[in-house]
Amino acid sequence: MTEQFSWLTAIVLLPLVGALVIPLLPNKSGKTVRWFALAVGAVDFGLMCYAFWRHYDASQATFQLAEKVVWLPQLGLSWALSVDGISAPLVLLAGFVTTLSMFAAWQVDRRSRLFYALMLVLYAAQVGVFVAQDLILFFIMWEVELVPVYVLVCIWGGQNRSYAATKFLMYTALASIFILVAALGMGLYGDSLTFDIAELGFKQFPLGLELFLYAGLLVAFGVKLAIFPFHTWLPDTHGEASSPVSMILAGVLLKMGGYGLIRLNLELLPHAHVYFAPVLAILGVVNIVYGALNSFAQTNMKRRLAYSSISHMGFVLLGIASYTDLGVSGAMLQMLSHGLIASVLFFLAGVTYDRTRTMMMNQLGGLGQAMPTVFALFTMGILASLALPGMSGFVGEVAVFVGLATTDIYGSAFRLVTIFLAAVGLILTPIYLLSMVRQVFHGDMADQMCDLMPACDLDDLDLKAQGNQEAYCFGTDCVLPEQAEFRDANPRELFIAACFLGLIIAIGCYPKMATQMYDVKTMAVNAHVRAVYHEVFPEAFQASVQRLWSPAIAAAPSGDGWGVVK
C-alpha cells in the first residue's frame, strides 16, 4: 500500500484542497484561518520530507516516485509527476519557504480568508512546477502560479501595488508563451506525439529547431530568473509586495527559472546549449556586476535586496554554463542557498517595516539600539548574503568560481575576464549590504521621518512611526502608521528567522547535506552535455580554439563534483 500511494499527487493537491476549505471555516476571531493554513502547509512539508526520506534514492539519476494518469489521450496529455535530483531539493525549498512565509503573515487581518487561500494555491502551483513531468502540465502549473501572486501584490501591496502587479503579470505571462510554443514544438516533432519529459529526452531535434526552442525558453526562464535585460519587473514587485510574498518571490519563484534552464535547456536541448553556453556566461557576469552597481543607487531597503538577488542569480548562470560537475552542482547549491538567505532578509525587512512603517533607508537610523535582536538577525542574514565562510552562500559561490576556473572548454582569456568581472561583483556585495546595515541600524536620523513627526527619538519605545496612509496594508498587518510602535523581535519572528539561519549555517558547515540529494543527477546532466560538445566540436577544432585564445597555456583540468580537482 505504501508503494502504491501517490505521494506527489497528495503533495500537490493538499494545499489546493485546503484553499477550497478555507471559505467554509468560521473565522470570527481571525485566528482559525491562519492556524488552518499554517497546519496545511506544515503537513504538506512533512509529507515531502517523509516521502523523500523513505522513497527517494539520491544515488539514482532517474525519475522517481513517478505517477502517470492519462488525461487527454488524443492530445497526448497526462497527469505525470516525478522527482529527481534537480527537482527534489527545490520541492523541499518551496515547502519550507512557503510554510514559514504563511507564519510570517500572522498579523494579516484584512481579507484574511482570501490571503491564506491564495497562499495555499501558490504553494500547490510552485510545487507542481517542480514535479511536473508532462510539459503541458508544467506550463499549466507555471501559469496558475501567476494569478495568486498578482492578486497578493494588488491587494496587500504598497502604494504603487497595481502598477507593480500588472508589470509582473505582463512580463511573466507574455514570456511563458515561449514555454507553450517550445512544448508544442518538442511534443509534435517526429513520429510520436508526447509531452513526457523523459520521452522527449530520446528525441533528436534538428539543430535549427533546437536553437529556436532554446532561445525561446531562455527568454521565458530569463524573465523568471531576472536575467538582464528581462529583470525590471523584479525590483518594482519586491518594492510593493508585502514581505511574506517577497519571501516566496525571492526564495522560490526565481528558482523556477534556474530549474527550467537545467531541466529543459540542458537536458532536452544539449546541442543548442553548446552554442548558447558562452552567452549564458556573459549574461551571468552582466547580472552580477549590473545588479551590484544598481544596488548602490537604491534607497528603498527591499529594492536594494531585489537588485542583490539579481546579482546573485548571475552565479547560477555561470555554473550552468561552466561544463563542469562542480559548476553545475554549485549552481544548484546557489539556488538553494539564495532561496534561504533572500527569504530571511525580506522577512526581516518586513519586521523592520512593521515597526517603522517605512522602507526608505534615509528615513531610518539607529534602530539597533531599539531593536537589538532584529539587528543581530539581520546582520547574520547580510553576512550570509555576502558569502561569509561558514554560511551556505560562500560554498555555492566558491563552487561556481572553481568550476568555471577549471573548465577545459573555454579559453584562458575568456575564463580570466569572466572570473575577474564576477569577482568585482563579489567585492561590491559586502559594500552595499554592509552600508545598508550601517545606515538602518547604526546611522543617525538624517531626515525627517514624516510630516507629522519632524523629529524622532528612538529612546522612546512608544514612538509612533510614519507611513503613507494609502499604503497602510503594506506589510503583514493593517495597523495604521500612527499606531505602530518600536519593539524588538517577538518569539514568532525569532523562530522564523532561526529556522532560516540555522539551515544556512548547517549547509555552510556541511554542504553535503544538500549536495548529496542532487550530485549524481547534475553529474549525469553535465556528462551528457560535455559528450554533445565533443560531438559537435571535434578535438582538432577545440585545439585550434585553445591556441587562438591561449597559445602559451595548456587547457585547464576539469573538476570532478565536490571532490579533488583532477
Side-chain angles (χ1 to χ4, degrees):
M1 181 177 179
T2 303
E3 294 178 356
Q4 295 176 353
F5 186 76
S6 301
W7 290 105
L8 298 182
T9 298
I11 289 170
V12 173
L13 295 184
L14 179 59
L16 286 178
V17 173
L20 295 175
V21 172
I22 281 182
L24 306 177
L25 296 176
N27 194 41
K28 294 182 179 180
S29 63
K31 298 180 180 179
T32 305
V33 167
R34 65 191 186 193
W35 275 112
F36 175 79
L38 180 62
V40 171
V43 169
D44 205 47
F45 180 64
L47 282 178
M48 297 175 190
C49 295
Y50 178 80
F52 295 162
W53 174 55
R54 293 296 301 271
H55 305 289
Y56 173 75
D57 185 0
S59 64
Q60 302 294 323
T62 57
F63 288 106
Q64 304 175 50
L65 295 172
E67 306 167 14
K68 188 170 184 178
V69 178
V70 177
W71 184 9
L72 295 174
Q74 296 83 357
L75 300 178
L77 304 182
S78 61
W79 174 267
L81 308 177
S82 64
V83 293
D84 62 357
I86 298 174
S87 55
L90 293 174
V91 171
L92 292 173
L93 176 69
F96 184 76
V97 171
T98 310
T99 300
L100 289 179
S101 68
M102 288 191 287
F103 199 19
W106 208 241
Q107 293 172 293
V108 169
D109 54 10
R110 181 169 178 254
R111 302 185 188 179
S112 58
R113 291 178 186 272
L114 178 60
F115 180 89
Y116 286 107
L118 290 171
M119 292 288 277
L120 288 176
V121 172
L122 180 57
Y123 194 138
Q126 60 196 8
V127 172
V129 168
F130 294 132
V131 301
Q133 190 174 338
D134 184 278
L135 270 186
I136 299 299
L137 181 61
F138 175 88
F139 170 75
I140 292 173
M141 291 295 182
W142 190 282
E143 291 294 283
V144 169
E145 163 266 323
L146 303 181
V147 178
V149 175
Y150 172 79
V151 179
L152 286 167
V153 176
C154 260
I155 297 179
W156 293 273
Q159 184 178 9
N160 297 318
R161 50 190 175 268
S162 296
Y163 167 78
T166 303
K167 189 173 184 179
F168 163 80
L169 187 64
M170 290 183 62
Y171 266 69
T172 52
L174 291 175
S176 63
I177 294 175
F178 291 103
I179 299 177
L180 178 60
V181 172
L184 293 175
M186 288 187 281
L188 297 174
Y189 180 81
D191 298 330
S192 60
L193 172 62
T194 180
F195 297 102
D196 188 280
I197 293 176
E199 296 177 9
L200 289 174
F202 294 103
K203 284 191 175 184
Q204 299 293 327
F205 304 106
L207 180 60
L209 179 60
E210 272 206 32
L211 292 173
F212 173 77
L213 296 175
Y214 192 105
L217 290 173
L218 180 59
V219 172
F221 299 139
V223 169
K224 187 71 76 173
L225 193 63
I227 299 176
F228 177 89
F230 310 118
H231 67 285
T232 58
W233 65 271
L234 184 65
D236 291 330
T237 306
H238 272 308
E240 301 301 324
S242 62
S243 291
V245 177
S246 287
M247 291 169 65
I248 299 177
L249 276 173
V252 182
L253 299 190
L254 288 183
K255 312 309 174 288
M256 290 166 55
Y259 169 77
L261 286 175
I262 298 176
R263 171 67 73 212
L264 302 185
N265 292 54
L266 259 70
E267 280 201 274
L268 301 185
L269 306 171
H271 291 81
H273 179 71
V274 167
Y275 294 91
F276 273 95
V279 177
L280 292 184
I282 294 171
L283 289 174
V285 170
V286 171
N287 256 48
I288 293 171
V289 177
Y290 173 85
L293 291 176
N294 272 273
S295 294
F296 285 100
Q298 307 306 313
T299 56
N300 183 297
M301 188 159 39
K302 289 181 70 177
R303 289 182 66 91
R304 179 167 291 196
L305 292 175
Y307 275 104
S308 177
S309 295
I310 294 173
S311 180
H312 283 90
M313 288 300 97
F315 289 99
V316 176
L317 294 176
L318 288 180
I320 293 174
S322 67
Y323 285 101
T324 60
D325 296 337
L326 189 59
V328 179
S329 182
M332 279 292 300
L333 185 58
Q334 177 69 0
M335 287 195 287
L336 297 174
S337 170
H338 180 266
L340 299 172
I341 295 171
S343 295
V344 71
L345 287 177
F346 278 108
F347 166 68
L348 292 172
V351 170
T352 304
Y353 178 86
D354 289 340
R355 275 70 170 170
T356 64
R357 314 311 292 182
T358 185
M359 284 288 178
M360 305 306 295
M361 293 184 291
N362 58 359
Q363 297 176 347
L364 297 171
L367 296 182
Q369 182 180 4
M371 301 183 294
T373 304
V374 174
F375 162 61
L377 296 173
F378 203 97
T379 301
M380 291 179 66
I382 291 296
L383 293 177
S385 184
L386 59 83
L388 182 75
M391 303 283 199
S392 60
F394 173 79
V395 185
E397 293 181 10
V398 166
V400 171
F401 268 109
V402 176
L404 187 63
T406 57
T407 183
D408 58 346
I409 301 299
Y410 302 113
S412 300
F414 182 85
R415 285 184 283 133
L416 180 63
V417 172
T418 303
I419 293 172
F420 172 78
L421 292 176
V424 170
L426 194 63
I427 293 172
L428 294 175
T429 302
I431 299 176
Y432 66 75
L433 288 179
L434 292 177
S435 65
M436 178 174 67
V437 174
R438 177 191 56 78
Q439 187 169 4
V440 172
F441 293 99
H442 292 292
D444 297 327
M445 288 290 184
D447 300 334
Q448 294 179 350
M449 291 186 67
C450 61
D451 295 332
L452 297 177
M453 296 188 309
C456 300
D457 181 10
L458 285 180
D459 291 332
D460 180 8
L461 296 183
D462 294 326
L463 175 66
K464 296 178 181 178
Q466 90 307 335
N468 191 309
Q469 293 286 347
E470 298 180 5
Y472 65 91
C473 278
F474 180 85
T476 57
D477 56 28
C478 290
V479 175
L480 294 174
E482 62 268 18
Q483 297 172 335
E485 298 178 356
F486 282 96
R487 60 193 184 279
D488 209 355
N490 58 41
R492 176 184 60 86
E493 295 163 341
L494 184 60
F495 172 80
I496 294 171
C499 287
F500 283 112
L501 293 173
L503 195 53
I504 290 169
I505 295 173
I507 295 176
C509 295
Y510 187 65
K512 190 176 180 180
M513 67 180 295
T515 62
Q516 65 184 356
M517 291 192 66
Y518 59 77
D519 260 347
V520 173
K521 178 63 178 184
T522 54
M523 291 172 67
V525 172
N526 183 60
H528 178 57
V529 172
R530 287 180 62 88
V532 170
Y533 176 85
H534 290 295
E535 172 190 332
V536 174
F537 298 115
E539 293 184 5
F541 177 82
Q542 298 174 39
S544 64
V545 172
Q546 288 289 340
R547 287 194 298 270
L548 175 65
W549 288 99
S550 50
I553 303 177
S558 61
D560 181 18
W562 289 86
V564 179
V565 175
K566 297 181 179 180

